[in-house]
Amino acid sequence: MPFISKIDRQSDYNLFPSSTPIVIDNGASYFRIGWAGESEPRVVFRNIVQRPRHKVTGETITIVGDHDPALFKYFDCSRSGPRSAFENNVVSQFEIMEYVLDFGFDRLGANGSKIDHPVLITECVCNPVQSRRNMAELLFETYGVPSIAFGVDAAFSYKYNEQQGVCAKDGLALCPGFITTHVIPFVDGEPVYKGCCRTNVGGFHVTDYLKQLLSLKYPYHFARFTWEKVEDLKMEHCYIAPDYASEARLFQKGAKEAEEKTRCWQLPWVPPPTEQPPSEEEIARKAAIRERQGQRLREMAEAKRSSKINELENELQGLDFLLHQLDQVEESDIPSFLSETGYVSRQEIESAHNKVTQSLRKAKGEPKNEQVETEKADLSTDEKYSLVNIPDDMLTPEQLNEKKKQLAIKSMSEGRQRLKQKRYEEELERERKQQLEEEKRLENPELYLEQLHARYKDLSERVDQQKRLKTNGGNTNGNNLSGSVGRGERLNAAQRERMRLLTTAAFDRGKGEDTFGARDEDWQLYKLMSKDNNDDDDGPDEDEAELARVSSRLVDLDPTFIPKVEAGTSQPAEVPRSRPLTKEDFQIFLGLERSRCPEILFNPNWIGVDQAGLDEMTGVSIRRLGYKDEGFEERLTSSILMTGGSSLFPGMVERLESGIRMLRPCGSTIKITRALNPIMDAWRGAAKYASDSQFRTQTFSRMDYYEKGEDWLRHYQLKYTL
Amino acid sequence: MEPEVVEAELVLPSYFSFKRVQMYEKYPKGQARGRHWKHLKQIIQAENYQNYPPDEPNYVNIESPPSMHPCKRICDITGFEAPYYDPRTNLRYANTDVFKIVRSLPNDYVQRYLSLRNAQVVLK
């Protein structure tokens, strides 16, 4: 892991004399601050600022750099992501820069009234003067810095490596950084900006490309691909293929090497609890429990029944006894005797007796023996309806009443009889039909099935259409159920018609003379207008019943048939059960992506940047220098230094060499070396530079700045060789 | 604030003794977030590079020129060499298998793939 933050507060700030410069490598990805002359920066952190909200108190706070992600659970970061002061390697957002500097100086241990040390801070090549001026003003006015020097990080790195004997005085520094990639030619130990070139592609784009590709490839694990995680994946797994085209062909063929090159990232996955088939004992135990419960229920029902029988028998006995007594009581005493018992007449007691006997029989579970009863009823019809056939004028008022009652009872029982008869006939009819169909089926099963299918389709279409008409395509937002129609709702056909009638009635006034009501049909209008008009469904639809019948028959006969789920009902159709997720669903494969992503440094047009790639840039740089001297150009290419974070990809040097070889004349020497530490060397070079006794001559103070003005600042350039 | 947050000194304090002008003085609360800093485009425009000799290096003219190499086209989805291109989605694809995927992609995915190489449809 090449990038590690160090953010512990330093305690020895006051031990340094005010002449010791503070060295800042203000890189787009990392901010490094430390003391001149030391070999390591004291404080290193990501050059970002976040302004999340505290979840409890709701206050917005400022967080600089990267911290333990576990601490971020107290903050709501959804409103603002990490922000950088940089835009294409140029510092443009100075408010953010100020937060970063605050944090940097604070962690370096600064505690005086101002930063009383010269500052050497890095900037990009050919930094626009406005950015440089703002930075200078910020350091002078806010922090009280006595003097400043600006230098280029890649140049410091090159000089540092030159002093360590890695590269020569004449050479090229290739610096694929975080946002941009620079090539800086060095002549006689000094960078020549005339020959510089910059492509706006860097490590940031590589990570972003990988992140996008992965989240497109695995949309379900989108949340897993955080910036930090993908950055880690990039640094761990990405490499640069010697020849991308052949690498891609390897993967396309699915060769063995490609398989070996594929990396797999297993996301945390817990296998779902496997459902064990219940054991024998379990089944037995459950059955026993069910049996016991059933037994108990049966016993309860039995007890209830017996108690009911008991009760009824007691009542019957009572009634029998009463009747018996009644027989013994003299005729004249009957009313007084009856008044004690609560019955009005002997008849009443008999009917009660009858009722109880019947219910007792029912409770005991004896067959009702209807046939007998009906016969009995037939026999007794004459006496039951004794008064029906007698003309009214021959009866007393009580008898008249009685007659009415008898008439009602008679018509009712007759109606019941008729209904029974009808049902019976229908049953017969249905059976006959079924038999007919069965015969048809046996005759030619396929044809029959086909016909059935056709009929089903036809019916279901018709039913659907009817429904659509009723609900107007189901567009009533489910409000149709409540019967009322809201303002913005669609109306069904009947409701629309009603509305039309109402409006025409409302606006029909005053047009000629009023003839409403002259004809009888006019009054029909009110019936149409009435609200109840729309619930006109006359019982279950015939079509629907037929459809149900056909579909049930189809289910019986055709195992492949699936009845259509009723659309338009409020319950959503049941979602098909997905297969259980397996371990393989939680694997992220990095195949060709491993080499595809860093390849954009060589082919920026893959991410839509129409500029030359890293290898071509060296050619552009040499051309821009314009020396036209073979020997000199060869000197340059024999001392190429790679620095910057993105030069860490494995295979970078080999790929670059083959790329540059294509540009150079045959047989020229090309020597590419990676810097001792491509990430730290810029700071180390700057620290070494700032510790030189001649460093003072390269800085400028606040007075210089205000005296010499902006035009001078524009041309300000450090001498890297002291 | 929670004790562990305080202990980690996560939150940047608003007062520093070494600053002459504090943040809250420079960007008072309640005002529209202090000063609007120019973006790079505006900075470059304000630099008036056209007034300076063209052979003098500046931020704009050190940019690399477009590549002179023949453009390698890769399949937008798999990264393989892409000899074909789908006129309906504008995606490049390597073979028939990928073409099936291309045609089955929903439009927002197509646009996301296109935006990888900055070729998506931009509505203005």
Short mmCIF file of all heavy atoms in Angstrom, two decimals, chain A residues 618-654:
data_model
loop_
_atom_site.label_atom_id
_atom_site.label_comp_id
_atom_site.label_asym_id
_atom_site.label_seq_id
_atom_site.Cartn_x
_atom_site.Cartn_y
_atom_site.Cartn_z
N THR A 618 6.12 11.69 -25.12
CA THR A 618 7.57 11.89 -25.14
C THR A 618 8.02 12.41 -26.49
O THR A 618 8.84 13.32 -26.58
CB THR A 618 8.30 10.57 -24.82
OG1 THR A 618 7.82 9.58 -25.71
CG2 THR A 618 8.05 10.15 -23.40
N GLY A 619 7.42 11.82 -27.54
CA GLY A 619 7.74 12.30 -28.89
C GLY A 619 7.35 13.75 -29.07
O GLY A 619 8.13 14.56 -29.60
N VAL A 620 6.16 14.11 -28.57
CA VAL A 620 5.70 15.49 -28.69
C VAL A 620 6.66 16.41 -27.96
O VAL A 620 7.04 17.48 -28.45
CB VAL A 620 4.28 15.61 -28.10
CG1 VAL A 620 3.87 17.07 -28.01
CG2 VAL A 620 3.29 14.82 -28.91
N SER A 621 7.06 15.97 -26.79
CA SER A 621 7.94 16.80 -25.97
C SER A 621 9.28 17.05 -26.66
O SER A 621 9.77 18.18 -26.71
CB SER A 621 8.15 16.08 -24.64
OG SER A 621 8.73 16.94 -23.73
N ILE A 622 9.84 15.98 -27.20
CA ILE A 622 11.13 16.13 -27.89
C ILE A 622 10.97 17.04 -29.10
O ILE A 622 11.81 17.90 -29.38
CB ILE A 622 11.66 14.74 -28.30
CG1 ILE A 622 12.02 13.94 -27.04
CG2 ILE A 622 12.87 14.87 -29.22
CD1 ILE A 622 12.32 12.49 -27.31
N ARG A 623 9.86 16.89 -29.79
CA ARG A 623 9.62 17.71 -30.98
C ARG A 623 9.49 19.18 -30.58
O ARG A 623 9.97 20.07 -31.25
CB ARG A 623 8.35 17.22 -31.67
CG ARG A 623 8.30 17.60 -33.12
CD ARG A 623 7.23 16.82 -33.87
NE ARG A 623 5.92 17.01 -33.29
CZ ARG A 623 5.15 16.00 -32.86
NH1 ARG A 623 5.62 14.77 -32.90
NH2 ARG A 623 3.96 16.24 -32.37
N ARG A 624 8.83 19.39 -29.48
CA ARG A 624 8.61 20.78 -29.05
C ARG A 624 9.91 21.46 -28.63
O ARG A 624 10.05 22.67 -28.78
CB ARG A 624 7.65 20.82 -27.87
CG ARG A 624 6.21 20.74 -28.30
CD ARG A 624 5.28 20.93 -27.14
NE ARG A 624 3.90 20.82 -27.59
CZ ARG A 624 2.85 20.78 -26.77
NH1 ARG A 624 3.05 20.82 -25.46
NH2 ARG A 624 1.65 20.69 -27.24
N LEU A 625 10.84 20.68 -28.11
CA LEU A 625 12.13 21.27 -27.74
C LEU A 625 12.83 21.82 -28.98
O LEU A 625 13.45 22.88 -28.94
CB LEU A 625 13.02 20.21 -27.10
CG LEU A 625 12.91 20.05 -25.59
CD1 LEU A 625 13.81 18.92 -25.14
CD2 LEU A 625 13.29 21.33 -24.88
N GLY A 626 12.72 21.06 -30.09
CA GLY A 626 13.17 21.56 -31.37
C GLY A 626 14.67 21.70 -31.51
O GLY A 626 15.14 22.64 -32.15
N TYR A 627 15.42 20.78 -30.90
CA TYR A 627 16.88 20.91 -31.02
C TYR A 627 17.39 20.36 -32.34
O TYR A 627 18.40 20.77 -32.85
CB TYR A 627 17.59 20.23 -29.85
CG TYR A 627 17.68 21.13 -28.65
CD1 TYR A 627 16.67 21.14 -27.69
CD2 TYR A 627 18.77 21.97 -28.47
CE1 TYR A 627 16.74 21.98 -26.60
CE2 TYR A 627 18.84 22.82 -27.37
CZ TYR A 627 17.83 22.82 -26.44
OH TYR A 627 17.91 23.64 -25.36
N LYS A 628 16.68 19.39 -32.91
CA LYS A 628 17.08 18.75 -34.19
C LYS A 628 18.51 18.23 -34.11
O LYS A 628 19.31 18.40 -35.01
CB LYS A 628 16.98 19.76 -35.35
CG LYS A 628 15.60 20.32 -35.57
CD LYS A 628 14.85 19.50 -36.59
CE LYS A 628 13.57 20.16 -37.02
NZ LYS A 628 12.53 20.26 -36.04
N ASP A 629 18.81 17.64 -32.98
CA ASP A 629 20.17 17.14 -32.80
C ASP A 629 20.05 15.70 -32.35
O ASP A 629 19.58 15.42 -31.25
CB ASP A 629 20.88 18.01 -31.74
CG ASP A 629 22.29 17.50 -31.45
OD1 ASP A 629 22.67 16.46 -32.03
OD2 ASP A 629 22.96 18.14 -30.62
N GLU A 630 20.44 14.77 -33.23
CA GLU A 630 20.27 13.35 -32.95
C GLU A 630 20.91 12.95 -31.62
O GLU A 630 20.30 12.28 -30.80
CB GLU A 630 20.90 12.52 -34.08
CG GLU A 630 20.05 12.49 -35.34
CD GLU A 630 18.89 11.51 -35.23
OE1 GLU A 630 19.10 10.38 -34.74
OE2 GLU A 630 17.76 11.88 -35.60
N GLY A 631 22.12 13.42 -31.45
CA GLY A 631 22.86 13.03 -30.24
C GLY A 631 22.17 13.52 -28.98
O GLY A 631 22.03 12.79 -28.00
N PHE A 632 21.65 14.74 -29.07
CA PHE A 632 21.00 15.33 -27.89
C PHE A 632 19.70 14.58 -27.58
O PHE A 632 19.41 14.24 -26.44
CB PHE A 632 20.72 16.81 -28.15
CG PHE A 632 19.88 17.43 -27.09
CD1 PHE A 632 20.42 17.72 -25.83
CD2 PHE A 632 18.55 17.73 -27.31
CE1 PHE A 632 19.65 18.29 -24.85
CE2 PHE A 632 17.77 18.29 -26.33
CZ PHE A 632 18.32 18.57 -25.09
N GLU A 633 18.96 14.29 -28.64
CA GLU A 633 17.70 13.58 -28.43
C GLU A 633 17.97 12.20 -27.85
O GLU A 633 17.20 11.72 -27.02
CB GLU A 633 16.94 13.46 -29.76
CG GLU A 633 16.31 14.79 -30.14
CD GLU A 633 15.54 14.74 -31.44
OE1 GLU A 633 15.40 13.63 -32.01
OE2 GLU A 633 15.09 15.81 -31.89
N GLU A 634 19.07 11.59 -28.30
CA GLU A 634 19.39 10.28 -27.76
C GLU A 634 19.76 10.38 -26.28
O GLU A 634 19.43 9.51 -25.49
CB GLU A 634 20.55 9.67 -28.56
CG GLU A 634 20.73 8.23 -28.26
CD GLU A 634 21.09 7.43 -29.50
OE1 GLU A 634 20.69 7.83 -30.61
OE2 GLU A 634 21.78 6.42 -29.36
N ARG A 635 20.44 11.50 -25.95
CA ARG A 635 20.77 11.70 -24.53
C ARG A 635 19.49 11.81 -23.70
O ARG A 635 19.40 11.25 -22.62
CB ARG A 635 21.59 12.99 -24.37
CG ARG A 635 23.09 12.78 -24.49
CD ARG A 635 23.86 13.67 -23.54
NE ARG A 635 23.56 15.10 -23.63
CZ ARG A 635 23.93 15.91 -24.63
NH1 ARG A 635 24.60 15.41 -25.66
NH2 ARG A 635 23.64 17.19 -24.60
N LEU A 636 18.53 12.51 -24.26
CA LEU A 636 17.26 12.65 -23.54
C LEU A 636 16.60 11.30 -23.31
O LEU A 636 16.21 10.96 -22.20
CB LEU A 636 16.28 13.54 -24.33
CG LEU A 636 16.46 15.04 -24.30
CD1 LEU A 636 15.36 15.70 -25.11
CD2 LEU A 636 16.44 15.57 -22.88
N THR A 637 16.48 10.49 -24.41
CA THR A 637 15.75 9.24 -24.26
C THR A 637 16.52 8.20 -23.47
O THR A 637 15.94 7.22 -23.03
CB THR A 637 15.41 8.64 -25.64
OG1 THR A 637 16.61 8.50 -26.38
CG2 THR A 637 14.42 9.50 -26.38
N SER A 638 17.78 8.40 -23.28
CA SER A 638 18.50 7.42 -22.48
C SER A 638 18.44 7.77 -20.99
O SER A 638 19.10 7.13 -20.19
CB SER A 638 19.95 7.29 -22.95
OG SER A 638 20.57 8.55 -22.85
N SER A 639 17.70 8.80 -20.65
CA SER A 639 17.54 9.11 -19.24
C SER A 639 16.10 9.56 -18.99
O SER A 639 15.81 10.72 -18.77
CB SER A 639 18.53 10.21 -18.84
OG SER A 639 18.14 10.78 -17.64
N ILE A 640 15.23 8.57 -19.10
CA ILE A 640 13.81 8.87 -18.87
C ILE A 640 13.44 8.41 -17.47
O ILE A 640 13.71 7.27 -17.09
CB ILE A 640 12.92 8.16 -19.92
CG1 ILE A 640 13.25 8.70 -21.32
CG2 ILE A 640 11.45 8.37 -19.61
CD1 ILE A 640 12.52 8.01 -22.43
N LEU A 641 12.86 9.32 -16.70
CA LEU A 641 12.51 8.97 -15.33
C LEU A 641 11.00 8.96 -15.19
O LEU A 641 10.31 9.88 -15.62
CB LEU A 641 13.10 10.01 -14.37
CG LEU A 641 12.85 9.68 -12.90
CD1 LEU A 641 13.87 8.68 -12.41
CD2 LEU A 641 12.89 10.94 -12.05
N MET A 642 10.50 7.90 -14.57
CA MET A 642 9.07 7.82 -14.31
C MET A 642 8.81 8.18 -12.85
O MET A 642 9.37 7.57 -11.96
CB MET A 642 8.56 6.38 -14.51
CG MET A 642 8.83 5.82 -15.85
SD MET A 642 7.42 5.82 -16.94
CE MET A 642 6.08 6.31 -15.99
N THR A 643 7.96 9.13 -12.65
CA THR A 643 7.61 9.48 -11.27
C THR A 643 6.12 9.74 -11.20
O THR A 643 5.43 9.74 -12.23
CB THR A 643 8.44 10.70 -10.81
OG1 THR A 643 8.08 11.02 -9.48
CG2 THR A 643 8.20 11.90 -11.70
N GLY A 644 5.61 9.91 -10.03
CA GLY A 644 4.15 10.09 -9.89
C GLY A 644 3.45 8.77 -9.61
O GLY A 644 3.93 7.69 -9.98
N GLY A 645 2.30 8.89 -8.97
CA GLY A 645 1.61 7.71 -8.45
C GLY A 645 1.25 6.68 -9.50
O GLY A 645 1.32 5.48 -9.24
N SER A 646 0.86 7.12 -10.70
CA SER A 646 0.39 6.15 -11.67
C SER A 646 1.51 5.41 -12.37
O SER A 646 1.25 4.53 -13.18
CB SER A 646 -0.47 6.86 -12.73
OG SER A 646 -1.59 7.43 -12.11
N SER A 647 2.76 5.77 -12.08
CA SER A 647 3.85 5.03 -12.70
C SER A 647 4.13 3.74 -11.94
O SER A 647 5.02 2.99 -12.28
CB SER A 647 5.11 5.88 -12.77
OG SER A 647 5.49 6.25 -11.48
N LEU A 648 3.33 3.48 -10.91
CA LEU A 648 3.56 2.28 -10.11
C LEU A 648 2.96 1.02 -10.72
O LEU A 648 3.23 -0.07 -10.24
CB LEU A 648 2.94 2.48 -8.71
CG LEU A 648 3.71 3.38 -7.77
CD1 LEU A 648 2.87 3.70 -6.56
CD2 LEU A 648 5.01 2.72 -7.34
N PHE A 649 2.13 1.18 -11.77
CA PHE A 649 1.51 0.00 -12.36
C PHE A 649 2.58 -0.96 -12.86
O PHE A 649 3.52 -0.54 -13.53
CB PHE A 649 0.62 0.38 -13.54
CG PHE A 649 -0.63 1.10 -13.12
CD1 PHE A 649 -0.84 2.41 -13.47
CD2 PHE A 649 -1.60 0.44 -12.37
CE1 PHE A 649 -2.00 3.07 -13.09
CE2 PHE A 649 -2.75 1.10 -11.99
CZ PHE A 649 -2.95 2.42 -12.34
N PRO A 650 2.45 -2.24 -12.57
CA PRO A 650 3.42 -3.20 -13.11
C PRO A 650 3.35 -3.21 -14.63
O PRO A 650 2.28 -3.05 -15.21
CB PRO A 650 2.96 -4.54 -12.54
CG PRO A 650 1.96 -4.25 -11.49
CD PRO A 650 1.43 -2.88 -11.74
N GLY A 651 4.49 -3.37 -15.25
CA GLY A 651 4.54 -3.43 -16.72
C GLY A 651 4.59 -2.08 -17.37
O GLY A 651 4.65 -1.98 -18.59
N MET A 652 4.58 -1.01 -16.57
CA MET A 652 4.59 0.34 -17.11
C MET A 652 5.86 0.60 -17.92
O MET A 652 5.80 1.09 -19.05
CB MET A 652 4.48 1.32 -15.94
CG MET A 652 4.42 2.77 -16.34
SD MET A 652 2.85 3.07 -17.13
CE MET A 652 2.47 4.68 -16.60
N VAL A 653 7.00 0.25 -17.34
CA VAL A 653 8.28 0.59 -17.97
C VAL A 653 8.42 -0.15 -19.30
O VAL A 653 8.76 0.45 -20.32
CB VAL A 653 9.44 0.24 -17.01
CG1 VAL A 653 10.76 0.38 -17.71
CG2 VAL A 653 9.38 1.11 -15.77
N GLU A 654 8.07 -1.43 -19.30
CA GLU A 654 8.21 -2.25 -20.52
C GLU A 654 7.31 -1.70 -21.63
O GLU A 654 7.74 -1.55 -22.77
CB GLU A 654 7.85 -3.70 -20.25
CG GLU A 654 8.77 -4.44 -19.28
CD GLU A 654 8.55 -4.09 -17.82
OE1 GLU A 654 7.54 -3.42 -17.53
OE2 GLU A 654 9.39 -4.46 -16.97
#
